[in-house]
Amino acid sequence: MAAVLERIHRANRPKYQSLSPRQARIAYLMGAEILDLPRAPLARVENLAIPGPAGDIAARLYAPLAREDGLARDPRGLPVLLYFHGGGFVIGNLETHDSLCRQLALRSGAAVVAVDYRLAPEHPFPAAVDDCWAALAWLAKTAPALGLDPARIAVGGDSAGGTLAAVAALHARDIRDELGVSLALQLLITPGATAHADTDSHRRFAEGHLLEAGTIAWFFNQYIPEDRRDDWRFAPLEAEDHADLAPACLILAEADPLIDEGIAYADLLRANGNEVQLELYRGVTHDFIKMGRSIPEAEQALDACAAALRQAYDRDPS
């Protein structure tokens, strides 16, 4: 990990907060998969359009089996992970997380539907949340037409996407009867959960560990005004009720400003009676799961995600 950080430092790329949002998106896109595993070939990759609150939301379906083969294997259809990418609510898209989504589909045997939610500052809070909630409602209704099983839906995401997945899990519980399904799992990879980036790990890892304090502040300022940050749709630790939620698998990195809030969220979920699996990877930074070309912990984490998904999908819903 230290060698990876040294290579990134030598590359001398400008910090996102020194760029415009458009420039930051281009910079992230250009570097997003340099350290990632090569894009794995899959039997099925389809671009989709999801009806959203402000027009269609672009999405992409990944599956290790063709539709007919999946239905032949299981007439219910493939289980599916609804995935929200990271990027601080400002950067990232379907392309930046294509390799990661392919790996999750390949290793778990499930389908993955990645969502290209609206980004700030053009679309500030809660636009991203609204898009992710709309995508979940759409998938619950549309899954059979796609050869997917609506009774085996999980939500997941990394970084800001992990926040959105946690918020989607809270929302899914609150509208369970309307949604018609109970989520199989919430897969939270290095998620944000607090309102004000004020935990001790934000101080310990403020500089030199990939995700820096100045970048986090820039992301937050683009996305949401400070006086709204106690809203649970931004900071899921602030929700009033954390009981009766989908089982959770949290993937955390030791040298990450977000680690304290990830542990706090895992503890809170467990204290409220939820099933929680916590995987902590020592000596690695935020975004490590997208560094499979360089560090073994990335593939270990991918395998842990896949195992958690398989276990969740195999669980008896009764």
Side-chain angles (χ1 to χ4, degrees):
M1 188 74 249
V4 170
L5 291 176
E6 177 59 26
R7 292 203 303 273
I8 292 171
H9 177 71
R10 286 202 307 266
N12 198 29
R13 294 194 181 97
K15 296 181 185 297
Y16 292 132
Q17 58 267 35
S18 71
L19 304 173
S20 70
R22 180 178 179 276
Q23 290 170 330
R25 289 170 196 150
I26 294 170
Y28 185 50
L29 176 61
M30 292 176 64
E33 291 191 338
I34 289 176
L35 300 177
D36 224 330
L37 294 170
R39 293 187 177 188
L42 294 173
R44 186 180 179 193
V45 179
E46 299 176 14
N47 289 324
L48 305 172
I50 299 173
D56 284 349
I57 305 163
R60 186 173 294 163
L61 187 154
Y62 304 86
L65 297 173
R67 185 180 186 279
E68 295 74 15
D69 294 338
L71 290 171
R73 177 176 294 186
D74 189 334
R76 298 174 298 173
L78 288 178
V80 56
L81 168 66
L82 186 66
Y83 196 83
F84 310 127
H85 66 77
F89 310 102
V90 178
I91 60 178
N93 57 31
L94 299 179
E95 298 302 324
T96 61
H97 285 65
D98 188 270
S99 172
L100 176 57
C101 289
R102 287 172 183 264
Q103 290 294 329
L104 291 170
L106 181 68
R107 293 170 190 247
S108 69
V112 175
V113 173
V115 179
D116 198 15
Y117 55 85
R118 287 173 290 166
L119 299 176
E122 296 89 342
H123 306 285
F125 174 84
V129 175
D130 292 342
D131 284 358
C132 293
W133 288 3
L136 177 59
W138 171 87
L139 183 59
K141 294 177 181 177
T142 312
L146 296 169
L148 309 175
D149 184 1
R152 292 183 293 168
I153 296 175
V155 293
D158 62 288
S159 193
T163 305
L164 292 168
V167 168
L170 287 158
H171 181 61
R173 176 205 59 195
D174 294 343
I175 64 161
R176 186 174 294 152
D177 292 342
E178 177 186 340
L179 196 63
V181 298
S182 295
L183 293 181
L185 185 74
Q186 47 179 321
L187 176 63
L188 312 180
I189 303 169
T190 59
T194 61
H196 300 292
D198 54 0
T199 66
D200 185 58
S201 59
H202 278 278
R203 291 182 287 273
R204 291 199 311 276
F205 304 114
E207 301 289 337
H209 295 84
L210 196 69
L211 179 63
E212 298 189 339
T215 306
I216 294 171
W218 183 76
F219 284 149
F220 283 12
N221 290 336
Q222 301 290 322
Y223 180 56
I224 185 170
E226 192 162 356
D227 62 1
R228 299 192 67 185
R229 292 181 189 174
D230 290 318
D231 190 311
W232 67 271
R233 294 171 297 171
F234 172 69
L237 270 167
E238 299 294 328
E240 292 184 1
D241 180 8
H242 291 87
D244 195 26
L245 293 169
C249 174
L250 287 92
I251 305 291
L252 304 182
E254 182 183 20
D256 183 354
L258 307 187
I259 186 173
D260 284 358
E261 58 204 85
I263 291 172
Y265 199 62
D267 287 346
L268 182 60
L269 292 176
R270 189 179 290 112
N272 278 271
N274 301 289
E275 181 182 335
V276 177
Q277 175 185 353
L278 175 60
E279 301 289 344
L280 171 58
Y281 291 85
R282 298 289 184 180
V284 295
T285 68
H286 194 77
D287 219 26
F288 79 99
I289 200 168
K290 288 172 51 57
M291 301 179 187
R293 292 182 194 259
S294 298
I295 56 172
E297 289 83 0
E299 293 209 59
Q300 295 166 14
L302 287 167
D303 286 340
C305 292
L309 287 166
R310 288 194 302 270
Q311 180 181 1
Y313 294 138
D314 288 344
R315 186 180 291 111
D316 185 347
S318 62

